[in-house]
Amino acid sequence: MLLLTTAVILVIIIVIQAGMLAKLREDRRAEAYRSAENVLRTLALTIDRNLRLIEVSILGVREALALPEVQAMPASSQNLLLFDRAAAPQYLGSMLVLDADGNIVIDSGQMAPRKANFGDRDYFAAHRERDAGTFLSRPYASRLRQNDPSIGMTVRLSRPDGAFDGVVLAAIRLAFFKSLFEKVDLGPDSIVSLVNTSGTIIYRHPSTDDGGNVGENVASSPVFQQMRDAPGASFSGTSKIDGLTRYYVTEKIGDFPLILSIGISTSAIYAEWTLQAIMVGLLTLVVCGLLAVIVLVLRRALIHSYEMEEQLEHMAVTDALTQIPNRRALEMVLDTEMRRTAREKSELSVLVIDLDFFKQINDTYGHAVGDAMLRNVGRQVTRSIRRPGDFAARLGGEEFVVILPSTGAAGATFMAERIRKAIAATHVATEDGHRVNTTASIGVASGIVQPSDPPDRLLREADGALYKAKGGGRNRVVGSHPDGGIAAAQ
């Protein structure tokens, strides 16, 4: 019997360690995803901003060309007027005005237009057939800049009768995307790629051809099809180009027909975890061997003592009605987080949640319904917070508190809105089948704590913001900022 008991305990230890390793594995995946998503958003904003600057430039040229006074100017004056903004966007190759046959008539590169015809380019054909709006071409080798890889952004020029009269072209050097992507390092075998919505690669880093895989078509790739069908989604897939399986995050570039993606190698994501798992596994085997001797002697006494202590501790810090942490637990956690935040100089946010007109529910439907509502709200609040360090407790009555470590005002307001909507969506059914709903007002306080601050500073600030939410009409989120400003959402 003792041998059987010892074996069971060792199995439990192994299972616990396996669960911990599984959680660490998921945390590692989540961390890699967050890092990739942050980089993705930064790159997407940079690309979108530069493309929009170029779009503004070519639209300005088109608008100016439509003015009679500009048409009457000498060519040199037109050049200076039309292209005074052309150098602003980064990595802009050249801007040209092409006539209806594709010949250069105005050239930002020099006063006398260079001799070249671009009637065969896809951007020219697209506008000749119809007004294609702002058009982004497939990659091409520039004929004016020694085959420099580029893409063209064009808008159509039309005569007064609507007939095709040429295009305004801005050539964007692919060196722009190369300079951005080469700065990204998310581990071995990670990639950054920009693809147009027809499946043509604009630029990929690192590439398999040392040139960015420019112009390669991946329209048939399952990875691209997922990007195209659900831009902004994240998923796992195997690359058609190099055959590696990666975890992808994607985002569409503004209103342009471009999709940016970052792929992180799954083997790279879990490489550190694998080493950690081996070390933990070996350590677990050693510990189990030692415990196998000790547990045979002390098992019964230790287990009994631990269970009693855990039960008493749980009862002391758990709210009996909602089964979430109570005010005592809140005070301990808030004190700990305030000190940690002051030490680390990181941000901390506190939400104070108060149910609107809760007394009327008790008075109208009875305390049983009110208690059921509090239990539902407690569940909604705890379900809404997802990070391991986030904490929710019942302050008392119909008030709840959420503590969000390492979270600023924007993140706290977002979380408060999620909680407010979750509470508004819940209901309790009375004995006669009536559905009882409630709403909540939420005060938000965020900031970096100073060592001299009292432990309840953010709690009091959030409570003050809550009263402003109540006074502003209830069912809303109000944040109290250090500068005294108030941000409200409903």
Side-chain angles (χ1 to χ4, degrees):
M1 188 64 182
L2 286 176
L3 291 177
L4 179 60
T5 302
T6 302
V8 169
I9 293 174
L10 294 178
V11 169
I12 291 173
I13 293 174
I14 293 172
V15 169
I16 292 174
Q17 292 294 335
M20 182 192 70
L21 288 173
K23 184 179 182 303
L24 288 174
R25 190 176 193 273
E26 175 59 23
D27 289 346
R28 182 69 188 95
R29 186 206 64 79
E31 179 185 352
Y33 167 73
R34 285 193 297 269
S35 297
E37 191 176 51
N38 290 336
V39 172
L40 180 78
R41 288 173 179 169
T42 300
L43 291 176
L45 286 172
T46 301
I47 294 171
D48 183 55
R49 181 172 61 249
N50 279 272
L51 292 182
R52 289 190 183 281
L53 284 173
I54 296 171
E55 183 180 33
V56 167
S57 295
I58 61 175
L59 289 174
V61 171
R62 183 173 69 177
E63 292 173 4
L65 286 173
L67 300 174
E69 54 267 33
V70 174
Q71 297 173 6
M73 288 181 177
S76 59
S77 299
Q78 284 184 337
N79 192 295
L80 291 174
L81 174 66
L82 295 177
F83 301 126
D84 64 336
R85 296 170 292 174
Q90 192 177 18
Y91 290 98
L92 179 63
S94 57
M95 290 182 62
L96 307 172
V97 177
L98 308 180
D99 64 16
D101 295 322
N103 297 309
I104 303 175
V105 292
I106 305 177
D107 187 345
S108 70
Q110 54 190 51
M111 290 296 180
R114 288 168 282 186
K115 301 296 182 181
N117 183 278
F118 301 99
D120 59 328
R121 297 292 199 196
D122 62 336
Y123 55 75
F124 191 84
H127 289 298
R128 183 171 52 201
E129 297 171 2
R130 59 182 177 83
D131 188 348
T134 299
F135 183 84
L136 281 178
S137 76
R138 293 189 297 269
Y140 60 84
S142 173
R143 296 169 185 167
L144 300 179
R145 286 176 284 105
Q146 299 178 339
N147 295 324
D148 183 31
S150 307
I151 58 172
M153 180 186 291
T154 54
V155 292
R156 174 187 169 111
L157 294 174
S158 299
R159 297 170 185 166
D161 62 357
F164 178 62
D165 198 28
V167 300
V168 181
L169 163 69
I172 304 166
R173 299 178 59 217
L174 298 191
F176 167 57
F177 306 112
K178 179 182 179 182
S179 70
L180 287 178
F181 296 172
E182 285 180 344
K183 298 174 184 176
V184 176
D185 182 9
L186 293 171
D189 297 323
S190 65
I191 61 166
V192 186
S193 62
L194 185 66
V195 186
N196 66 24
T197 51
S198 65
T200 300
I201 294 177
I202 305 299
Y203 200 85
R204 181 185 191 266
H205 176 77
S207 62
T208 58
D209 60 0
D210 295 325
N213 293 106
V214 175
E216 189 167 341
N217 191 281
V218 292
S220 62
S221 164
V223 170
F224 168 75
Q225 291 169 5
Q226 286 186 268
M227 293 180 186
R228 178 197 60 200
D229 297 340
S234 57
F235 56 89
S236 293
T238 301
S239 170
K240 175 185 176 182
I241 295 176
D242 57 22
L244 295 180
T245 300
R246 295 182 175 91
Y247 188 78
Y248 290 90
V249 291
T250 65
E251 185 165 334
K252 192 172 183 294
I253 305 297
D255 298 327
F256 299 102
L258 299 172
I259 301 172
L260 180 68
S261 69
I262 290 180
I264 310 174
S265 169
T266 52
S267 60
I269 291 175
Y270 299 124
E272 182 179 344
W273 175 87
T274 301
L275 179 61
Q276 188 176 13
I278 293 172
M279 295 176 63
V280 170
L282 293 174
L283 181 60
T284 300
L285 291 176
V286 172
V287 171
C288 286
L290 295 174
L291 288 179
V293 177
I294 299 173
V295 77
L296 294 175
V297 180
L298 301 176
R299 184 183 66 88
R300 291 182 182 178
L302 290 177
I303 288 179
H304 179 72
S305 175
Y306 175 77
E307 288 178 348
M308 291 297 295
E309 181 180 349
E310 186 181 51
Q311 185 177 2
L312 290 173
E313 183 179 349
H314 178 76
M315 292 172 61
V317 297
T318 302
D319 178 65
L321 176 62
T322 60
Q323 291 302 302
I324 67 174
N326 60 15
R327 183 167 191 148
R328 179 183 177 186
L330 168 66
E331 292 172 350
M332 292 189 295
V333 171
L334 183 59
D335 179 69
T336 300
E337 289 299 333
M338 290 283 283
R339 286 188 282 106
R340 184 188 63 80
T341 300
R343 183 174 62 254
E344 298 179 358
K345 294 183 173 57
S346 60
E347 290 188 291
L348 179 66
S349 292
V350 175
L351 317 181
V352 176
I353 306 161
D354 186 82
L355 303 186
D356 299 326
F357 306 110
F358 183 72
K359 185 176 182 300
Q360 294 182 10
I361 294 177
N362 277 336
D363 293 344
T364 304
Y365 301 102
H367 288 282
V369 173
D371 290 348
M373 180 65 71
L374 289 174
R375 285 191 289 270
N376 276 0
V377 170
R379 284 192 291 270
Q380 294 299 331
V381 171
T382 54
R383 287 172 182 170
S384 297
I385 59 176
R386 299 176 180 176
R387 297 182 306 173
D390 296 344
F391 176 82
R394 183 185 177 195
L395 185 61
E398 63 270 24
E399 286 192 323
F400 297 81
V401 174
V402 172
I403 299 175
L404 302 172
S406 302
T407 301
T413 302
F414 175 82
M415 183 62 71
E417 271 297 302
R418 175 188 291 171
I419 293 172
R420 184 187 67 80
K421 292 176 182 178
I423 292 174
T426 191
H427 70 274
V428 173
T430 63
E431 292 183 355
D432 58 2
H434 185 74
R435 292 162 61 99
V436 181
N437 298 80
T438 188
T439 59
S441 300
I442 304 177
V444 180
S446 304
I448 297 177
V449 181
Q450 302 301 322
S452 59
D453 288 344
D456 63 344
R457 177 177 75 81
L458 289 179
L459 182 62
R460 286 189 283 104
E461 290 179 6
D463 196 50
L466 170 63
Y467 278 102
K468 292 178 181 178
K470 290 285 189 181
R474 294 180 168 81
N475 189 24
R476 61 182 55 214
V477 174
V478 170
S480 177
H481 296 286
D483 60 3
I486 300 297
Q490 184 175 7

